[in-house]
């Protein structure tokens, strides 16, 4: 890799009003354990290692850009969720965050269940040997084919999302001579935002049946009448990247309220509630995520208390974390291609990937951290914007970052916390080849999703 020198970019203090940006970190070479996966460290040469393997070696062997996934950390996080919720609850990993056959096997081995939301995710789960009864099927518009495949496979639950779907799933199950276990997804009137929740009077989004106005209760009424369905519970998912447990608590309170209403109206006590996913992770040092144990304790307490007050037996609780399990376990490794100083503004650092491997910055204004990982540097901090190689000015990977002013083409940058919703939302924009996912455990690295090739692209293009 080249190490050519280039003029230092503007210093943040030269170009920005004081206090506009947080000050640069005291030590640009430090790796905040909040945002890096557990087996990341720097070796005696200053090179960052994952599971003991230097990133320079990983780049040589697997190329860049690439996602490197810390299998040890992934498994530890699965166990933390499993242990926090105990054997009388279920943890469903939300496959939409990132799914591959290796991941399915790890989940299976660590005792987690799996939430899928498409035929493709279902096929991956089944191909990797996840028992069907440990799979839940989600989605607001599941196709007849998806429902049929799920019922035929014998999935443990289908989460119903509309009046039409209640009838559709019942008919398919009856036609197949089965009685399908289902939950009904409701919207509880809690809208989750990044750092807080706002109770909303009106529901204005596409998922579930609203509790307010009685749609949820009507869905239950209809589902209970249909022979093809075994209604086992109520489902609620309030949003994503949530740091505050109070939104979940309000949701739990309202779901239990509906269980009591169902018992009073139908004489039926539904045995399950699912409180969804959404627990936030640290993308930057400013984020302060909750631990699984904290959320498990809070949910269990409120469900137990509310059930006691309503005279209900405590239902089996399940949750569906995606991001909180896989998000922190991977980083994306890029090579710097160009470093362009815009005098008086900032320095643009172009890497060899971009919005095709991480759309979250462009789509959600998501914030990420970034670090020089192929060496340490004693140079001054330089306010930078890390951008990709796509033909689009919104192709930003990290909007504001301090990088050492001696950054040069050939340096390796890593963006941590890209395990969730990066590879799974990757695209072929500009005919980019989607990067591989390489799992690292116990000093060994192996490709679990290979890099796309031009042949892959051309195979779909039938001329
Ligand atoms: N359960 C249900 C029903 C969901 O809809 C989701 C996420 C989850 C569980 C998992 O949520 P998590 O724990 O991963 O936050 N693409 C967006 C996130 C979309 C989440 C969609 N549903 C992002 O990149 O932030």
């Amino acid at each position: 890799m080249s190490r050519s020198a280039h003029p230092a970019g503007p210093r943040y203090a030269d170009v920005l009003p004081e206090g506009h940006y947080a000050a640069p970190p005291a030590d640009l070479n430090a790796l905040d354990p909040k945002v890096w996966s557990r087996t990341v460290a720097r070796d005696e040469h200053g090179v960052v290692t994952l599971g003991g393997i230097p990133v320079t070696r990983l780049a040589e062997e697997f190329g860049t850009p690439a996602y490197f996934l810390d299998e040890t950390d992934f498994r530890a996080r699965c166990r933390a969720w499993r242990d926090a919720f105990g054997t009388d609850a279920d943890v469903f990993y939300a496959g939409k965050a990132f799914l591959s056959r290796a991941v399915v096997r790890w989940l299976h081995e660590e005792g987690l269940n799996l939430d899928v939301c498409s035929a493709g995710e279902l096929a991956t789960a089944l191909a990797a040997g996840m028992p069907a009864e440990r799979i839940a099927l989600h989605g607001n518009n599941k196709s007849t084919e998806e429902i049929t495949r799920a019922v035929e496979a014998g999935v443990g639950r289908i989460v119903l999302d509309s009046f039409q779907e209640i009838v559709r799933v019942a008919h398919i199950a009856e036609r197949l001579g089965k009685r399908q276990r289902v939950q009904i997804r409701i919207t509880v009137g809690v809208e989750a935002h990044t750092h807080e929740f706002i109770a909303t009077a009106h529901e204005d989004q596409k998922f579930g049946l609203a509790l307010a106005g009685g749609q949820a209760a009507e869905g239950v009424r209809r589902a209970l009448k249909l022979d093809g369905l075994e209604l086992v519970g109520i489902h609620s998912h309030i949003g994503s990247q949530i740091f505050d447990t109070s939104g979940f608590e309000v949701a739990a309170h309202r779901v239990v309220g509906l269980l009591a209403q169902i018992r009073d109206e139908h004489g039926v006590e539904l045995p399950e509630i699912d409180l969804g996913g959404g627990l936030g992770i640290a993308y930057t040092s400013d984020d302060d995520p909750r631990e699984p144990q904290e959320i498990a304790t809070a949910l269990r307490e409120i469900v137990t208390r509310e059930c006691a007050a309503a005279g209900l037996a405590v239902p089996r609780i399940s949750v569906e974390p995606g991001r909180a399990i896989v998000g922190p376990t991977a980083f994306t490794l890029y090579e710097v291609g160009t470093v362009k100083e815009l005098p008086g503004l900032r320095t643009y650092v172009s890497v060899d990937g971009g919005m095709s491997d991480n759309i979250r910055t462009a789509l959600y204004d998501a914030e990420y951290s970034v670090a020089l990982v192929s060496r340490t540097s004693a140079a001054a901090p330089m306010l930078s914007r890390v951008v990709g190689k796509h033909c689009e000015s919104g192709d930003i990977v990290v909007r504001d970052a301090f990088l050492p002013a001696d950054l040069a083409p050939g340096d390796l940058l890593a963006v941590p916390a890209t395990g969730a919703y990066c590879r799974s939302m990757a695209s072929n924009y500009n005919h980019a080849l989607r990067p591989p996912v390489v799992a690292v455990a116990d000093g060994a690295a192996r490709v679990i999703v290979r890099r796309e090739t031009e042949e892959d692209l051309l195979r779909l293009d039938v001329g």
Side-chain angles (χ1 to χ4, degrees):
M1 281 179 299
S2 69
R3 290 276 183 279
S4 61
H6 67 92
R11 304 277 293 279
Y12 77 101
D14 302 336
V15 294
L16 289 165
E18 209 177 333
H20 186 73
Y21 282 87
D27 178 3
L28 279 183
N29 300 311
L31 301 169
D32 183 348
K34 251 207 249 181
V35 297
W36 294 90
S37 73
R38 279 167 219 213
T39 75
V40 167
R42 269 193 204 270
D43 69 13
E44 65 279 16
H45 310 292
V47 178
V48 169
T49 58
L50 172 62
I53 310 177
V55 290
T56 40
R57 218 171 85 203
L58 292 173
E60 250 166 51
E61 192 171 339
F62 302 102
T64 56
Y67 308 97
F68 291 95
L69 201 163
D70 188 336
E71 179 184 342
T72 310
D73 195 9
F74 185 99
R75 287 179 181 272
R77 285 174 192 277
C78 288
R79 287 195 291 276
W81 279 88
R82 211 15 312 158
D83 295 348
F85 279 86
T87 50
D88 59 346
D90 296 300
V91 180
F92 285 74
Y93 169 77
K96 66 204 84 180
F98 172 65
L99 198 65
S100 77
R101 285 186 290 182
V103 161
V104 174
R105 283 192 292 270
W106 303 339
L107 295 167
H108 191 184
E109 285 164 18
E110 301 299 344
L112 265 62
N113 296 356
L114 177 60
D115 144 12
V116 299
C117 66
S118 69
E121 288 184 0
L122 178 62
T124 305
L126 294 172
M130 180 60 89
E133 64 272 15
R134 284 172 54 187
I135 299 174
L137 177 66
H138 268 279
N140 67 301
N141 187 17
K142 307 166 191 75
S143 70
T144 301
E145 196 202 332
E146 284 171 323
I147 297 166
T148 305
R149 281 171 66 181
V151 175
E152 273 174 353
V155 299
R157 89 171 53 141
I158 295 181
V159 182
L160 303 173
D161 199 273
S162 65
F163 292 141
Q164 286 90 350
E165 200 172 77
I166 291 171
V167 176
R168 205 171 285 156
V169 173
H171 282 168
I172 291 171
E174 279 175 44
R175 187 162 44 77
L176 294 170
K178 296 206 178 194
R179 191 147 185 259
Q180 177 61 49
R181 286 166 48 87
V182 295
Q183 292 188 343
I184 292 182
R185 178 165 175 176
I186 67 165
T187 43
V188 291
V190 173
E191 190 187 317
H193 290 287
T194 303
H195 286 85
E196 84 273 24
F197 73 92
I198 296 168
T200 49
H202 300 287
E203 312 283 334
D204 190 2
Q205 46 91 19
K206 68 176 182 170
F207 293 108
L209 294 173
L211 193 57
Q215 284 196 325
E218 178 57 21
V220 169
R221 231 165 265 140
R222 295 186 190 187
L224 284 173
K225 286 194 189 123
L226 295 166
D227 291 338
L229 305 182
E230 181 189 354
L231 179 63
V232 291
I234 298 297
H235 182 286
S236 155
H237 170 75
I238 58 168
S240 266
Q241 188 57 1
I242 303 163
F243 291 105
D244 188 342
T245 58
S246 47
F248 292 105
E249 290 170 23
V250 174
H253 165 79
R254 294 186 185 168
V255 168
V256 174
L258 179 61
L259 292 188
Q261 192 187 328
I262 294 167
R263 188 259 331 262
D264 295 345
E265 186 180 338
H266 305 283
V268 176
E269 282 196 32
L270 298 185
E272 295 176 4
I273 62 174
D274 188 305
L275 295 166
L279 206 66
I281 63 164
Y283 286 102
T284 74
S285 296
D286 293 338
D287 294 329
D288 195 13
R290 310 267 71 83
E291 290 296 320
Q293 188 60 61
E294 232 177 299
I295 185 107
T297 305
L299 290 182
R300 200 177 284 283
E301 258 172 37
I302 184 137
V303 172
T304 307
R305 193 170 62 233
E306 300 284 326
C307 286
L312 288 166
V314 178
R316 191 172 178 88
I317 299 174
S318 54
V319 287
E320 298 171 336
R323 185 190 326 260
I325 291 178
V326 72
T329 68
F331 60 75
T332 314
L333 191 63
Y334 300 104
E335 186 176 313
V336 173
T338 68
V339 180
K340 189 183 286 180
E341 182 192 343
L342 302 191
L345 285 173
R346 70 180 75 246
T347 297
Y348 279 78
V349 176
S350 292
V351 294
D352 49 358
M355 65 194 299
S356 55
D357 59 70
N358 186 351
I359 191 65
R360 297 193 68 261
T361 306
L363 199 54
Y364 313 116
D365 261 337
E367 286 184 32
Y368 281 92
S369 315
V370 58
L372 169 61
V373 289
S374 46
R375 61 183 174 96
T376 50
S377 167
M382 162 179 84
L383 181 67
S384 313
R385 178 160 289 175
V386 179
V387 295
K389 60 180 288 166
H390 295 283
C391 296
E392 183 134 346
S393 50
D395 174 26
I396 297 167
V397 180
V398 186
R399 190 172 298 280
D400 299 303
F402 288 100
L403 287 165
D406 64 351
L407 195 74
D411 279 334
L412 296 177
L413 294 183
V415 174
T418 58
Y421 305 110
C422 286
R423 180 58 180 81
S424 69
M425 294 174 79
S427 78
N428 289 122
Y429 183 43
N430 297 146
H431 280 201
L433 303 171
R434 286 177 296 176
V437 182
V438 179
V440 174
D442 305 322
R446 70 187 171 102
V447 175
I448 58 171
V449 179
R450 73 159 166 77
R451 188 183 299 283
E452 265 178 338
T453 62
E454 286 174 7
E455 293 76 68
D456 290 329
L457 289 183
L458 290 169
R459 198 168 295 142
L460 300 181
D461 180 338
V462 294

